[in-house]
Amino acid sequence: GVLRASDQSQSLELSAEALVARFARQGKKDRAEEDVCCSYIYIDRQTEDAGTQNVVMEDMNAKQLSHFLLGRTKENNGILQRFTKSKSAKHSMIRVVWTPRTFQVETRTNQSRMDDTRVSMEDRVATFGGGPHLSQLLDLKDGMLARSIRE
C-alpha cells in the first residue's frame, strides 16, 4: 500500500518499505537494529466507551515499524512520528500544559542510558508514558524555557 506523509514543505506518497528505510536512518547512517526509529501516538478507542480518552505512545524499532505498517490492524487515528535521538546520553521529553488559567512546563529524563542494551528499548525511552521509577521529573515553570514560551 501507499501511505501519505505530510512534510513541512510538501506532501509525499511513500510505500511502507520506503517509509521504514527512511525512518531507520539517523542522519547519514543507519540506526542500530534495536534503536527506536519512530513513535506512534494514538487515542485508545477502547477507553472511549468508559467515558475517558487515553492517549497511547508506542515507540518502535525498524522491525516493529515494518510489522506495524504491513501486518497490524490499526484505526488510522494517530500520528506516526520519526524519533529524534536526544543529544544527551539519556532520553528526555518536555511537556507543556497551557490553558488560560494554567501554565506548566516540565521535563522527564529517563534513568537509563540510550545505549544500555541490558535495558529494554521501551524502558530506555520511557518518559511521561512510562512508570515513574523509569524517569526523573523536573518542573521548569520558572526557567528560561518557560519564560520564552510565555512570550
Side-chain angles (χ1 to χ4, degrees), residues 19-38:
L19 189 62
V20 171
R22 183 176 282 211
F23 277 31
R25 296 192 61 75
Q26 177 72 38
K28 294 185 178 186
K29 61 181 183 174
D30 289 336
R31 297 177 197 255
E33 189 174 298
E34 69 278 355
D35 283 353
V36 177
C37 70
C38 69

Side-chain angles (χ1 to χ4, degrees), residues 38-72:
C38 69
S39 300
Y40 179 52
I41 303 109
Y42 65 97
I43 296 170
D44 182 0
R45 298 282 188 214
Q46 294 175 352
T47 61
E48 283 187 325
D49 296 337
T52 62
Q53 269 193 346
N54 186 28
V55 177
V56 180
M57 184 166 154
E58 285 183 45
D59 297 302
M60 298 178 227
N61 61 27
K63 185 176 180 180
Q64 292 166 326
L65 173 60
S66 182
H67 171 70
F68 170 79
L69 294 172
L70 299 170
R72 184 169 134 186

Side-chain angles (χ1 to χ4, degrees), residues 10-143:
Q10 59 186 346
S11 180
L12 305 169
E13 286 192 6
L14 299 171
S15 68
E17 294 82 5
L19 189 62
V20 171
R22 183 176 282 211
F23 277 31
R25 296 192 61 75
Q26 177 72 38
K28 294 185 178 186
K29 61 181 183 174
D30 289 336
R31 297 177 197 255
E33 189 174 298
E34 69 278 355
D35 283 353
V36 177
C37 70
C38 69
S39 300
Y40 179 52
I41 303 109
Y42 65 97
I43 296 170
D44 182 0
R45 298 282 188 214
Q46 294 175 352
T47 61
E48 283 187 325
D49 296 337
T52 62
Q53 269 193 346
N54 186 28
V55 177
V56 180
M57 184 166 154
E58 285 183 45
D59 297 302
M60 298 178 227
N61 61 27
K63 185 176 180 180
Q64 292 166 326
L65 173 60
S66 182
H67 171 70
F68 170 79
L69 294 172
L70 299 170
R72 184 169 134 186
T73 303
K74 52 199 154 299
E75 284 187 44
N76 299 325
N77 70 348
I79 299 168
L80 186 63
Q81 178 176 307
R82 185 182 207 170
F83 183 83
T84 303
K85 195 172 179 180
S86 296
K87 293 186 185 217
S88 67
K90 297 178 178 181
H91 181 61
S92 63
M93 184 177 284
I94 298 170
R95 177 170 67 182
V96 178
V97 177
W98 194 353
T99 69
R101 294 190 180 117
T102 305
F103 179 74
Q104 181 180 4
V105 182
E106 54 192 8
T107 184
R108 273 203 174 271
T109 302
N110 194 285
Q111 301 284 17
S112 301
R113 291 178 53 91
M114 286 294 292
D115 59 0
D116 186 354
T117 56
R118 296 172 298 163
V119 179
S120 73
M121 178 186 70
E122 292 83 8
D123 286 353
R124 282 182 278 154
V125 297
T127 54
F128 291 99
H133 65 285
L134 297 172
S135 61
Q136 183 178 18
L137 178 67
L138 179 62
D139 189 348
L140 302 175
K141 69 180 174 191
D142 297 323

